Amino acid sequence: MSTETQIHNIGYRKYDGPRLGRAYARRSLFAQSLRGAYGLGRSAKSKVLPMILLGVMCVPALIIVAVAVVAKSSTLGVDYTRYAIIMQLVIALFVASQAPQSVSRDLRFRTIPLYFSRPIERVDYVLAKYGAMASALFVLTALPLVLLYAGALLAKMDFSEQTEGFAQGVASVALLSLLFGGIGLLLAALTPRRGFGVAAVIAVLFISYGAVTTVQAVAWGTDNTGAVTWLGLFSPITLIDGVQTAFLGATTSFPGDAGPGTGAGVVYLLVVLGLIAGSYAGLMLRYRKAGL
């Protein structure tokens, strides 16, 4: 042994405290990811875009309520189930900006193995990230509905009618949040480069809607009314439109009001549930292939 070699006692001690385990780690990752979706706990720059998008989502609802109150209207100017459809661009931008932020950096900087060192496992990571993204989207889409509902009650509109519409709207945006959150995270997790993830999410969530509605308009113009309904299966937002039209009493935005009935609505619902389950399975496979 060299005369310059020394052994230092750096004071490590045995830990005798409580072991909080996987559940605590999963909840912590969920809370951190949810806060991060709105830039909370991050730099001021990180808060700008999500907070602007949240404000953009809420301002039209406040205007609608104000107009209804001043005009002493007995109804709001928009159905609860229609609001997210109208504001779909804002929702797509939120997913495109925050889904890559949630997962791409972990892949790019190879920090994922640190999560899995102990005690968290792959399923915990995926559940926490998926749950956080869906919850962030639910806040974004449900908060305007809460404002509409509160304004309607303050304006003394029919309580039972408004409550039913509000419940239908909340059910719709909950399904939308699960669908968009899963698709957004899966696309973002395919590449560690955030820019590619943003482009992929925008293409799938928004450009697909433009393509589907264009083809639907052509089908309606050529009297192929049956095709209009089934073409809606090829875009995430038209899938939500079809489900809420079939089961939640919503008015469809399809050309000629050719929304799905109950039979076709079952197909729409099965496709939505299949995409949600497929997104989860795809995330699990992605992280297993990443050697995690």
Side-chain angles (χ1 to χ4, degrees), residues 22-284:
R22 287 175 56 190
Y24 178 82
R26 185 169 56 243
R27 290 195 301 270
S28 298
L29 182 58
F30 167 82
Q32 177 194 33
S33 301
L34 178 56
R35 285 165 51 83
Y38 287 97
L40 303 177
R42 299 171 60 204
S43 65
K45 181 180 178 181
S46 301
K47 297 178 178 64
V48 173
L49 182 58
M51 291 302 179
I52 287 176
L53 293 176
L54 182 62
V56 172
M57 282 292 293
C58 292
V59 167
L62 293 174
I63 294 174
I64 291 169
V65 168
V67 170
V69 170
V70 171
K72 297 181 179 180
S73 175
S74 60
T75 60
L76 294 169
V78 63
D79 293 337
Y80 293 97
T81 49
R82 287 286 299 159
Y83 195 87
I85 304 296
I86 295 171
M87 303 297 291
Q88 62 176 287
L89 176 58
V90 180
I91 300 171
L93 289 175
F94 184 87
V95 179
S97 62
Q98 299 311 310
Q101 182 275 135
S102 181
V103 295
S104 295
R105 292 189 306 169
D106 289 342
L107 292 168
R108 183 176 182 182
F109 297 110
R110 302 182 184 277
T111 57
I112 294 292
L114 297 177
Y115 287 110
F116 290 84
S117 59
R118 198 175 75 178
I120 199 171
E121 296 184 4
R122 177 165 52 105
V123 64
D124 301 312
Y125 182 87
V126 171
L127 284 174
K129 289 293 184 177
Y130 198 155
M133 191 71 247
S135 297
L137 276 170
F138 185 72
V139 171
L140 181 78
T141 53
L143 183 56
L145 302 187
V146 173
L147 296 176
L148 289 173
Y149 183 61
L153 296 184
L154 288 173
K156 298 181 179 179
M157 297 180 188
D158 184 81
F159 176 79
S160 60
E161 179 181 344
Q162 295 301 319
T163 301
E164 181 183 7
F166 175 68
Q168 292 170 340
V170 169
S172 175
V173 298
L175 194 61
L176 181 148
S177 299
L178 287 170
L179 178 61
F180 278 39
I183 292 174
L185 282 180
L186 179 59
L187 293 172
L190 293 177
T191 173
R193 297 189 176 275
R194 184 174 180 178
F196 292 161
V198 170
V201 174
I202 289 177
V204 171
L205 295 185
F206 189 69
I207 296 179
S208 66
Y209 173 76
V212 167
T213 52
T214 299
V215 177
Q216 282 181 322
V218 172
W220 177 257
T222 55
D223 294 328
N224 292 318
T225 55
V228 173
T229 298
W230 298 112
L231 285 169
L233 293 170
F234 297 96
S235 167
I237 195 66
T238 53
L239 279 169
I240 298 298
D241 189 310
V243 170
Q244 67 181 20
T245 298
F247 301 111
L248 298 175
T251 301
T252 185
S253 60
F254 289 5
D257 294 331
T262 303
V266 171
V267 177
Y268 271 71
L269 181 59
L270 290 175
V271 171
V272 170
L273 295 178
L275 286 173
I276 292 171
S279 297
Y280 172 78
L283 286 168
M284 291 291 289

